[in-house]
Amino acid sequence: SKVPVTSDGRIQKAIRYIQQNTNQHLTVGDVADYVGFSKSYFSAYFKKMLGFSVSAFILRCKLEEGRELLQYTDKSISTISEFLCFSSQSHFHTAFKKQFEMTPSEYRKQQNF
């Protein structure tokens, strides 16, 4: 996956933190606290620097991790959904389909060929 490129140290720190904590219930506030910004300032700053929101990036990282787990493990979709802290398997399914234009089970079947 493409990692956003920025020379800003605190944004890089935030990106690493998000990527390393995809299995946690992460909020924008959690990430802002980690890098030492207020939530509102950090949200605006992140979007200005990278062109997309913190929450969109958190979701993208979780979905990319989910895609790897579907490809390289035999964990069930519900287990993956729980591991990545989605509110429900249905939420994971919907978000995955929106991001990758196929369902988690379609993706897994495609990888097995």
Side-chain angles (χ1 to χ4, degrees):
S1 73
K2 288 184 182 163
V3 176
V5 178
T6 175
S7 58
D8 187 292
R10 287 203 267 195
I11 294 288
Q12 287 178 333
K13 185 178 177 184
I15 289 166
R16 276 193 308 275
Y17 181 72
I18 292 166
Q19 290 173 322
Q20 292 166 358
N21 290 282
T22 54
N23 65 328
Q24 305 295 316
H25 179 74
L26 269 187
T27 66
V28 175
D30 295 333
V31 182
D33 287 345
Y34 181 76
V35 293
F37 284 130
S38 74
K39 181 181 167 186
S40 57
Y41 178 81
F42 179 67
S43 292
Y45 186 68
F46 190 96
K47 183 154 186 150
K48 180 182 171 204
M49 295 297 287
L50 299 176
F52 46 85
S53 71
V54 183
S55 52
F57 185 67
I58 291 170
L59 179 61
R60 190 177 102 196
C61 288
K62 286 179 177 279
L63 291 171
E64 288 175 357
E65 176 79 8
R67 187 168 64 171
E68 287 189 14
L69 291 168
L70 287 164
Q71 187 171 353
Y72 298 114
T73 74
D74 59 0
K75 288 180 161 80
S76 71
I77 293 167
S78 64
T79 301
I80 292 169
S81 167
E82 278 179 42
F83 175 74
L84 297 172
C85 298
F86 278 87
S87 56
S88 66
Q89 185 177 335
S90 165
H91 179 221
F92 174 63
H93 185 278
T94 304
F96 192 95
K97 186 166 184 171
K98 186 176 178 188
Q99 178 78 22
F100 301 117
E101 299 179 346
M102 65 180 78
T103 67
S105 49
E106 287 168 346
Y107 180 80
R108 179 170 266 166
K109 280 184 194 130
Q110 185 186 66
Q111 298 311 304
N112 291 329
F113 286 114

